[in-house]
Amino acid sequence: MKKKVLVTRKLPDDAMKLLYETCEVELNPYDRVMTEDELIQGLSDKQGLLCLLTDTINSTIMDAGKDLKVISNYAVGFNNIDVKAATERRILVTNTPGVLTETTADLAWALLMATARRIVEADGFMRRGDYKGWGPMLFLGGDVFGKTLGLIGMGRIGCAMARRALGFNMRVLYYDVNRLSLDEEKALSAEYADFDVVLRESDFVSLHVPLVPSTRHLIGARELSLMKATSYLINTSRGPVVDEKALVEALRSRRIAGAGLDVYENEPEMAPGLAKLENAVLLPHIASASVDTRTKMGAMAARNLIAGLAGKLPPNCVNPEVCGKPEYS
Ligand code: GLV
Ligand code: GLV
C-alpha cells in the first residue's frame, strides 16, 4: 500500500516523478500557497507532508494530520515549522541542507556587487533612455575588492561567502555563536570578532544565520547605527532577522550606503517606503533558485519524505530524537 502524501506546491519534475512512483500524492492544484483550512483538510488522511518555507506548519495543522509521520521541508531553513510540536507528536521533520550552499552564496555575492556598483539603478537609467554619454560622476558606487566583508553567521553559506571574498582580496571578519577551528579560520583567512566589531569595521555586512528567537531583529536601529555610513547590508537569510522599518529609516537617512535584500520581514509584503529607495536592491527570495539546485532540493526533499515513511531515519532529519522511539528502532 502506497503511503498518502500532501505536496503543497508543484516541485521540479524529477521530484514529482519520484513522489508519484512511491506515494499516493495529493498535489495543491493551484500556483499559490495553500490556506490553513486547505492544509487541515488535505492532511486528514495523510502520512506525509512535503511543504515549502511559505507554509506555516503549527501544532493545529499537525493535529489535523492524525496519521502524519513525516514533514519534509523544501528548504534549508525550517523556521516555518514548529519542530518542538512535531517532536512531541513523534513526527519527523527534514530539510535540504548543503545542496543550496553555493547557489545561495552566488546570489548573495551578486546582491553585494549589484548594491555596491548600483547595477539595477544604472540598468533602469539605460532603459529609460537617460544615458547621454560618459560622465565622470555617473553612478559612482563602492568598491568591493580589498574591502572588509563582515559575515554574521558562519555556517556552510557564511563559509562559502568567505571563500568568494578570497578572490576579491578582502579582509573577512565573522561573528557566530560557534567559532570555527583555527585551521578553518586560516583556510578562509577569516578573523573571528565580536558582533559589534564586525558591524563597526565592515564595508559589507552579510547575514547567514537561521531564524530562531535569538536572531529575530538581530539587526535593528542600534546595530545599523554602529555600521559605517559607507557600508552595505546584504540579507539572504530570513527577513525577520532585520528590523525592516529601522532599515528603511537607515537607508533613507543614508545612515548606511545601501542594502541588498532577498528576504523580507513579512513576505511577500515590504516595509512602507522600501520599494522607493534607490539604494536598495530588492529580489523576490530567489537565493536558491537555479535550475540545478532546485532540482537537487526537490530530489532531496522527496527522498527524505520517502525514507521517513518507510520507517527509516531520513538523511536530513532535524529532530532525529523522534527515531529513538520504539517504532523506528
Ligand atoms: C530558502 O530560503 C531556504 O531556506 O532553502
Ligand atoms: C545553511 O546551509 C548554513 O549552514 O549556512
Side-chain angles (χ1 to χ4, degrees):
M1 262 271 288
K2 284 183 171 178
K3 296 282 191 337
K4 291 191 169 111
V5 302
L6 177 66
V7 179
T8 66
R9 199 88 170 254
K10 189 176 176 298
L11 298 179
D13 289 344
D14 290 4
M16 291 312 303
K17 191 162 165 279
L18 196 55
L19 291 167
Y20 279 119
E21 277 166 12
T22 46
C23 309
E24 191 179 321
V25 176
E26 180 179 328
L27 173 64
N28 172 12
Y30 309 107
D31 189 23
R32 60 154 173 82
V33 175
M34 291 180 81
T35 64
E36 179 161 341
D37 280 349
E38 287 170 343
L39 284 170
I40 286 173
Q41 191 78 40
L43 279 178
S44 61
D45 59 345
K46 304 294 186 298
Q47 287 93 45
L49 170 64
L50 203 157
C51 59
L52 313 183
L53 59 95
T54 42
D55 301 312
T56 301
I57 309 299
N58 55 29
S59 56
T60 310
I61 287 174
M62 290 176 204
D63 287 337
K66 291 176 297 295
D67 299 331
L68 194 60
K69 295 275 183 299
V70 193
I71 299 172
S72 170
N73 208 36
Y74 180 73
V76 64
F78 48 87
N79 53 284
N80 56 305
I81 299 170
D82 185 341
V83 176
K84 189 165 165 277
T87 304
E88 281 163 11
R89 289 162 179 73
R90 308 165 120 205
I91 299 170
L92 296 166
V93 178
T94 68
N95 69 337
T96 62
V99 288
L100 47 65
T101 301
E102 301 297 333
T103 301
T104 299
D106 278 354
L107 194 281
W109 203 264
L111 256 180
L112 184 156
M113 298 207 61
T115 307
R117 297 304 300 272
R118 305 172 63 182
I119 300 293
V120 177
E121 248 185 290
D123 177 271
F125 180 84
M126 289 304 293
R127 289 170 198 271
R128 286 190 305 274
D130 290 346
Y131 183 47
K132 305 296 181 226
W134 187 89
M137 300 303 281
L138 198 55
F139 287 108
L140 303 190
D143 272 322
V144 175
F145 77 92
K147 296 284 180 171
T148 299
L149 173 64
L151 298 167
I152 305 291
M154 200 60 154
R156 288 168 291 245
I157 300 169
C159 288
M161 289 297 282
R163 285 197 301 277
R164 281 159 181 72
L166 287 171
F168 285 76
N169 199 23
M170 295 173 93
R171 175 182 182 215
V172 177
L173 295 177
Y174 80 97
Y175 172 77
D176 193 299
V177 285
N178 300 310
R179 189 173 171 171
L180 299 179
S181 71
L182 292 177
D183 284 347
E184 287 167 321
E185 286 181 2
K186 209 165 149 220
L188 296 169
S189 291
E191 297 164 47
Y192 185 76
D194 282 344
F195 180 59
D196 284 6
V197 173
V198 174
L199 296 173
R200 268 197 201 101
E201 296 191 8
S202 299
D203 300 296
F204 298 89
V205 172
S206 189
L207 307 177
H208 302 285
V209 293
L211 176 62
V212 289
S214 60
T215 60
R216 191 170 286 273
H217 282 196
L218 186 65
I219 304 293
R222 184 195 80 89
E223 291 71 26
L224 291 162
S225 77
L226 295 178
M227 289 173 64
K228 294 184 190 178
T230 51
S231 70
Y232 301 89
L233 179 73
I234 309 300
N235 190 11
T236 54
S237 64
R238 283 291 182 266
V241 172
V242 175
D243 177 344
E244 203 168 293
K245 243 177 94 201
L247 177 62
V248 168
E249 195 39 49
L251 290 170
R252 191 181 276 143
S253 63
R254 302 271 163 176
R255 182 61 215 68
I256 64 170
L261 305 177
D262 187 45
V263 289
Y264 305 87
E265 201 168 342
N266 294 301
E267 281 177 38
E269 309 295 325
M270 283 183 279
L274 181 58
K276 294 219 159 56
L277 295 169
E278 292 204 309
N279 52 348
V281 175
L282 306 173
L283 299 180
H285 204 152
I286 55 170
S288 67
S290 73
V291 175
D292 287 353
T293 288
R294 287 287 167 85
T295 301
K296 287 183 202 155
M297 284 168 64
M300 199 173 201
R303 281 198 300 266
N304 282 329
L305 186 70
I306 292 163
L309 291 175
K312 300 188 187 115
L313 175 62
N316 313 101
C317 186
V318 306
N319 59 348
E321 61 272 26
V322 171
C323 286
K325 303 283 159 72
E327 67 199 81
Y328 287 97
S329 58

